[in-house]
Amino acid sequence: MFDVRPGTNPDRSRVRNRKAVLGLINSAGQMGRAAVARSLGLSTQAVSNIIAELEVEGLLIERGAQSAGRGLPAVQYGVNPEGGVALGVEIRPDVLLTSLVDLSGKPRATRRQVLDDLSPSRVTVAVLKLRDWMLKECGFTNERLLGAGIVMPGPFGTTGLSGQASDLPGWQTVDVAGLFSQEIGRPVIVSNDANAAAMAERFSVAQGLTDYAFLYFGAGLGLGLVHRCQLVDGAFGNAGEIGHLPVMADAERKPLEQVVSRVSIQSALAANGPLDIEALDRLCKAKDPALMRWLETACDALGQAVGVIENLFDPQTVILGGAMPASILDHLANNTPLPELSVSNRPDAIHPRLQCGTSGRMTATFGAAALILNRAFTPQSTAMWERPPA
Amino acid sequence: MFDVRPGTNPDRSRVRNRKAVLGLINSAGQMGRAAVARSLGLSTQAVSNIIAELEVEGLLIERGAQSAGRGLPAVQYGVNPEGGVALGVEIRPDVLLTSLVDLSGKPRATRRQVLDDLSPSRVTVAVLKLRDWMLKECGFTNERLLGAGIVMPGPFGTTGLSGQASDLPGWQTVDVAGLFSQEIGRPVIVSNDANAAAMAERFSVAQGLTDYAFLYFGAGLGLGLVHRCQLVDGAFGNAGEIGHLPVMADAERKPLEQVVSRVSIQSALAANGPLDIEALDRLCKAKDPALMRWLETACDALGQAVGVIENLFDPQTVILGGAMPASILDHLANNTPLPELSVSNRPDAIHPRLQCGTSGRMTATFGAAALILNRAFTPQSTAMWERPPA
DNA sequence: CCCGATAACTCAACTAACTTGAATATTAAA
DNA sequence: TTTAATATTCAAGTTAGTTGAGTTATCGGG
């Protein structure tokens, strides 16, 4: 499951340091060699060598010198968006979504393909084809592909939450990461939609944050937790199943998902027939009374959930995103009553307690790619989580 | 706050590898050089050098050769309990508790000192004195002291939960870690009681586990989260404030702490006057009716809380511990109804969903020391969580 | 009972990656 | 104009891990 080798040798040191340099420059926008060296606790020379290497490989580009006070102006380097791309794959019961995201976190291509047969073999074939199309369309060679992130409906393995409609038939016993990495020939990371979407925020709203929670509107409602720049996904990859959190709504105790989710909007607005994101956006902007009523109970329930997340996890901020119109997310972020009895209710807070992130249908698909980008920018946590041989 | 240098150089490599070797051998009990090398992905030679070094320093001891099939029997090494000690300090509003814990996680000495003046200066003086006494009593030289863990009532900083009785006056603005590490001249880690107690379990019930949650009975009820062998303590060190989690009890919505905590026992058994752990133990063993009633509602509420923890963090297990008699913790662990709608409700589960850990008054004090032991056994997570210079 | 396969371990030479210190270049402040 | 400060590079030096050959001890098969 975890192929991390806790031991460090020269090779692995270099890999780590390269990631550290890239990640630092990425989150700072641009930096000079000396500044990077100070920040990482390495010698200027070491950083200089690494940066030279990364520049030759096209991962960094020079951005001219910048004078800051006395002394020789430092030559600035920034991450080259063209330096690499990550493939994002989202497998849903009804559809296969893919995207290509460049090193700066910007989506370059997206694909949406309805599949009648979602068997692993058919999906891998489709993904390979889509990868080639998108790479060609964006003018990237195959060598520039850093890896693929795969998003699938959780929970993984058989749990007390299994057997739902969102489960993919025929995938339960498959080693998904192994399958795809064999086919694609690149590193593959598998996760659920909320975790992936949370990672995507590292390239937008959560840039520079180390600890945050991401509430994701997908089929239901999911939670992605980021601690010290790394996903907290649980022992079996199923952390963040917040949909079943009991909240009070209409003087009743209900699962959060039943009050705050697209399904719950749909049932609140049943009279309008099936609604897609654009339709919801229009209704929100028109202040549709039924939607406003839904928003009121949703805000109230969301406030309770945010309180639980804050007190259990103590994040810098909680971010809302996913398959919802930005107008509704905005309303939720701005009108949710946040509990006073919370560790996050701090007078000296720098970040808002609740804010909006990326919205839209493709959020998790981009997030899938972000799993790979994050890997390129973050030295592996090397805590010893491998079991000693029996 | 985090003084981690993400960059790796030969020196830091060695430090990491030493910790990896120690940690691996610690969790396995004993191992040979070759097995360690395989597990860490290092060459036998590298491990051999490191083990030789650790043996000279007294951190490892030879445990004889063990033949396993064909081939030269591997010389086994185990962690030498005498190799080092960690100082655990627990500062409470009413009392100062200290302990000395050896490398195997076994407490060697404990002290309980009532202080009328809890100012930082008085406490540091007292701690230094207690450290010297305990070191002398156990026959350890000062060089063998690995560091000190400090446990204080949370939450840290001013939050929406501040201003409670458990707050320590005069400590809010103090850099506690800096203060103590200056005085003691060793690494210092500061945390809250639940987090520390969770770390202590790595040396008993949670040995070999990578992901677990620990419910700690202290002044209230706290939660310690361990993910990939590392504490998840939140952006400001305040994660795990589970006491305010709303649960249903007696058909009402109440904070968990009001139903499951020592204070709540005390008010349920008000007729008996003030009760200490031993008194509670006697009542439990005598099946006192009032206590049994309390246990019933507590179990019910606990089940709800465990459900939330499981679905949000997906741990391998949830452990109960702290300032309660083992009899009560046992009852809770065995009689709590665990929700079926949980990702932890898996037919193929290896670990019990809920179990007992260390109980007693000193749990968190031992845990404080465990913070340091854990540091000695776990290579620092080197994710890049340092902010780039502004 | 002996011999060969197997595995742990060590020695010595080798290599990769980072560090150090001197030299050079460029800028701002005195 | 001089001086201090800073970035950068060059070249030599250091540390730690790797490699491959050789040694030793055990098991198991003939």
Side-chain angles (χ1 to χ4, degrees):
Chain A
M1 183 165 182
F2 310 116
D3 65 346
V4 179
R5 325 231 141 195
T8 310
N9 60 16
D11 288 3
R12 298 201 277 260
S13 262
R14 179 66 118 177
V15 171
R16 292 177 57 81
N17 286 344
R18 284 168 50 105
K19 290 185 181 188
V21 169
L22 264 180
L24 187 64
I25 293 180
N26 179 58
S27 63
Q30 56 175 46
M31 280 178 96
R33 299 163 211 253
V36 171
R38 274 191 301 270
S39 214
L40 297 184
L42 294 175
S43 65
T44 332
Q45 188 56 56
V47 171
S48 203
N49 293 338
I50 291 171
I51 286 187
E53 201 176 281
L54 291 171
E55 196 186 4
V56 168
E57 295 170 25
L59 294 170
L60 288 180
I61 40 174
E62 205 184 306
R63 284 224 214 283
Q66 196 162 58
S67 142
R70 221 180 261 193
L72 183 67
V75 178
Q76 301 297 110
Y77 288 86
V79 171
N80 181 8
E82 313 288 323
V85 277
L87 176 64
V89 176
E90 185 179 3
I91 309 172
R92 290 200 205 156
D94 53 334
V95 68
L96 177 67
L97 299 169
T98 56
S99 68
L100 215 55
V101 177
D102 71 23
L103 259 194
S104 71
K106 212 177 84 181
R108 293 299 197 86
T110 61
R111 288 283 189 285
R112 185 187 153 83
Q113 183 164 335
V114 179
L115 283 184
D116 46 329
D117 178 5
L118 272 167
S119 66
S121 56
R122 290 291 288 275
V123 169
T124 43
V125 171
V127 165
L128 287 181
K129 219 178 273 174
L130 290 164
R131 173 200 63 179
D132 293 335
W133 286 350
M134 291 194 296
L135 281 173
K136 198 168 180 189
E137 176 183 321
C138 303
F140 283 104
T141 61
N142 197 23
E143 287 78 52
R144 290 278 169 209
L145 185 65
L146 298 171
I150 315 282
V151 156
M152 300 175 56
F156 302 109
T158 49
T159 74
L161 303 183
S162 298
Q164 298 180 335
S166 63
D167 284 3
L168 294 182
W171 288 82
Q172 261 63 40
T173 57
V174 180
D175 168 20
V176 181
L179 174 70
F180 279 99
S181 84
Q182 184 136 46
E183 292 292 331
I184 298 178
R186 290 291 136 96
V188 165
I189 300 174
V190 179
S191 195
N192 66 34
D193 44 15
N195 283 331
M199 280 287 96
E201 294 301 329
R202 287 205 53 186
F203 298 89
S204 53
V205 172
Q207 199 159 35
L209 296 184
T210 59
D211 295 77
Y212 60 94
F214 185 90
L215 273 167
Y216 174 81
F217 287 90
L221 189 68
L223 177 68
L225 293 170
V226 178
H227 184 246
R228 309 267 191 270
C229 298
Q230 307 236 218
L231 273 179
V232 176
D233 58 355
F236 307 95
N238 291 330
E241 279 290 336
I242 202 173
H244 297 85
L245 183 80
V247 292
M248 293 303 285
D250 306 323
E252 266 185 274
R253 205 150 167 270
K254 296 181 182 174
L256 179 63
E257 212 162 65
Q258 207 168 301
V259 190
V260 187
S261 69
R262 285 189 61 196
V263 174
S264 83
I265 289 198
Q266 191 62 61
S267 63
L269 303 181
N272 301 56
L275 294 164
D276 61 5
I277 294 183
E278 290 70 29
L280 285 173
D281 187 40
R282 281 191 301 274
L283 286 173
C284 184
K285 283 177 176 148
K287 297 204 191 304
D288 175 82
L291 180 57
M292 291 295 124
R293 275 196 301 278
W294 177 87
L295 276 169
E296 202 166 324
T297 50
C299 278
D300 194 61
L302 189 59
Q304 300 170 49
V306 169
V308 172
I309 294 167
E310 287 177 343
N311 280 328
L312 288 191
F313 188 64
D314 189 23
Q316 292 167 300
T317 189
V318 178
I319 305 174
L320 291 178
M324 276 281 187
S327 53
I328 289 186
L329 293 181
D330 264 331
H331 187 107
L332 288 170
N334 295 319
N335 295 82
T336 292
L338 297 169
E340 292 195 4
L341 270 181
S342 163
V343 292
S344 298
N345 178 20
R346 33 181 80 240
D348 53 348
I350 298 168
H351 307 285
R353 285 171 67 183
L354 184 62
Q355 61 182 310
C356 284
T358 312
S359 63
R361 233 189 313 270
M362 302 292 285
T363 308
T365 318
F366 300 151
L371 292 170
I372 293 293
L373 294 183
N374 188 56
R375 212 185 85 112
F377 290 134
T378 313
Q380 302 270 3
S381 161
T382 34
M384 275 221 357
W385 59 51
E386 259 188 334
R387 205 63 27 75
Chain B
M1 182 165 180
F2 309 117
D3 65 345
V4 180
R5 325 230 140 195
T8 311
N9 60 16
D11 287 5
R12 298 202 277 261
S13 262
R14 179 65 118 180
V15 171
R16 292 177 56 81
N17 286 344
R18 283 169 51 106
K19 289 184 182 189
V21 169
L22 265 180
L24 186 64
I25 293 180
N26 180 59
S27 62
Q30 56 175 45
M31 279 178 97
R33 298 164 212 251
V36 171
R38 274 192 300 271
S39 216
L40 297 183
L42 294 175
S43 64
T44 331
Q45 188 57 54
V47 171
S48 202
N49 294 339
I50 291 170
I51 286 187
E53 200 176 282
L54 291 170
E55 195 185 5
V56 168
E57 294 169 27
L59 295 170
L60 287 180
I61 41 175
E62 204 183 307
R63 285 224 214 281
Q66 196 163 59
S67 140
R70 224 178 257 195
L72 183 66
V75 178
Q76 302 296 112
Y77 288 86
V79 171
N80 181 7
E82 312 288 325
V85 278
L87 177 65
V89 176
E90 185 179 3
I91 309 171
R92 290 200 204 157
D94 53 333
V95 68
L96 178 66
L97 298 169
T98 56
S99 67
L100 214 56
V101 177
D102 72 22
L103 259 194
S104 71
K106 213 178 84 180
R108 293 299 198 87
T110 61
R111 287 285 188 285
R112 184 187 154 85
Q113 182 163 337
V114 179
L115 282 184
D116 47 330
D117 177 5
L118 271 167
S119 66
S121 56
R122 290 290 288 276
V123 169
T124 45
V125 170
V127 165
L128 287 180
K129 217 178 274 174
L130 290 163
R131 173 200 63 178
D132 294 336
W133 286 349
M134 291 194 297
L135 281 173
K136 195 166 181 190
E137 176 184 323
C138 304
F140 282 104
T141 61
N142 197 23
E143 288 78 50
R144 290 276 170 210
L145 185 64
L146 298 170
I150 316 280
V151 157
M152 300 175 56
F156 302 108
T158 49
T159 73
L161 303 182
S162 298
Q164 298 180 336
S166 63
D167 285 2
L168 294 181
W171 288 81
Q172 261 65 37
T173 57
V174 180
D175 168 21
V176 181
L179 173 69
F180 278 100
S181 83
Q182 184 136 46
E183 292 292 332
I184 298 178
R186 291 289 139 96
V188 166
I189 300 175
V190 179
S191 194
N192 66 34
D193 45 13
N195 283 329
M199 279 288 97
E201 295 300 331
R202 286 205 55 185
F203 298 89
S204 53
V205 172
Q207 200 159 35
L209 295 185
T210 59
D211 296 78
Y212 60 94
F214 185 89
L215 273 167
Y216 175 81
F217 287 89
L221 189 68
L223 177 69
L225 294 169
V226 177
H227 184 245
R228 309 268 191 270
C229 299
Q230 306 236 219
L231 272 180
V232 176
D233 58 355
F236 307 95
N238 290 331
E241 279 291 336
I242 202 173
H244 296 85
L245 184 79
V247 291
M248 293 304 286
D250 306 324
E252 265 184 274
R253 204 150 168 270
K254 295 182 182 172
L256 179 63
E257 212 161 68
Q258 207 169 300
V259 190
V260 187
S261 69
R262 285 190 62 195
V263 174
S264 83
I265 289 199
Q266 191 62 61
S267 63
L269 304 181
N272 302 56
L275 296 163
D276 60 5
I277 294 183
E278 290 70 30
L280 285 173
D281 186 40
R282 280 190 301 273
L283 286 174
C284 184
K285 284 176 176 148
K287 298 205 192 301
D288 175 83
L291 180 56
M292 292 295 124
R293 274 195 302 278
W294 177 87
L295 276 169
E296 203 166 325
T297 51
C299 279
D300 195 59
L302 189 59
Q304 299 169 50
V306 169
V308 172
I309 294 167
E310 287 177 344
N311 280 327
L312 290 190
F313 287 99
D314 188 24
Q316 293 168 299
T317 189
V318 179
I319 304 173
L320 292 177
M324 276 280 185
S327 52
I328 289 186
L329 293 181
D330 264 332
H331 187 108
L332 288 170
N334 296 320
N335 295 83
T336 291
L338 297 170
E340 293 195 3
L341 271 180
S342 163
V343 293
S344 298
N345 179 19
R346 35 181 78 240
D348 53 347
I350 298 168
H351 307 284
R353 286 170 68 181
L354 185 61
Q355 61 182 310
C356 284
T358 312
S359 63
R361 233 190 311 272
M362 301 292 283
T363 308
T365 317
F366 300 151
L371 292 170
I372 293 294
L373 295 182
N374 188 56
R375 210 185 85 112
F377 290 133
T378 314
Q380 302 271 2
S381 162
T382 34
M384 276 222 352
W385 57 52
E386 260 187 333
R387 206 59 30 73

